[in-house]
Amino acid sequence: MRVSVIGGSTVSAAVYEQAVKVGRLLAERDHTVVCGGLGGVMRGVCEGASGGGGPTVGILPGEEVAAANEFVDIPIATGLGHARNALVVMNGDAVVAIDGGPGTLSELGLAAVYDRPVAGLGTHDVPGVRQVGTAAAAVDHVEAHA
């Protein structure tokens, strides 16, 4: 299954480590990580997935594939800016949201529009987001509901 992981581009060390855990668990359970391909949660989840032997896809806002973080296996340049958020959500069968600001909030709205199950770790408390407390609970939720 492909799982979109969304979240803040600038995060604390604790949030970053949570993203690494989510990525590693997804990889260990044979899932592909899809994200925005840049820093913060996106880099953390890709680092974790890479460490767990899983593939990563980064759907980038700009025109340069070289802008992807070093743990992205398949960078996709879009030139769409924040409009690429729809592509991040649509290319996952489910979504894990970790932390995040307005960009993450837009992706959560798109997840509702496209009927994707969402697990939230310290993210916006909005309808359709199942708030969970651990990386394992997040992965369990998306596996059970995708």
Side-chain angles (χ1 to χ4, degrees):
M1 169 171 70
R2 293 183 299 177
V3 178
S4 299
V5 180
I6 61 176
S9 58
T10 304
V11 297
S12 68
V15 169
Y16 187 88
E17 285 307 312
Q18 187 127 39
V20 170
K21 288 178 187 175
V22 168
R24 182 173 292 278
L25 282 172
L26 288 169
E28 289 172 351
R29 295 187 190 184
D30 296 320
H31 302 302
T32 298
V33 166
V34 177
C35 70
L38 299 176
V41 164
M42 298 168 280
R43 185 180 186 279
V45 75
C46 288
E47 180 180 347
S50 291
T56 60
V57 177
I59 301 176
L60 302 163
E63 298 177 7
E64 300 294 328
V65 295
N69 73 63
E70 67 268 34
F71 301 105
V72 171
D73 296 318
I74 303 168
I76 300 171
T78 67
L80 295 173
H82 287 288
R84 69 77 150 85
N85 291 355
L87 299 175
V88 173
V89 171
M90 289 178 65
N91 281 283
D93 301 300
V95 176
V96 175
I98 305 169
D99 189 58
T104 304
L105 184 58
S106 76
E107 289 167 317
L108 290 171
L110 290 162
V113 167
Y114 296 117
D115 199 29
R116 300 299 196 265
V118 181
L121 284 163
T123 193
H124 304 278
D125 190 13
V126 296
V129 176
R130 170 69 175 184
Q131 297 291 340
V132 297
T134 66
V139 175
D140 289 343
H141 177 76
V142 297
E143 285 179 329
H145 294 92

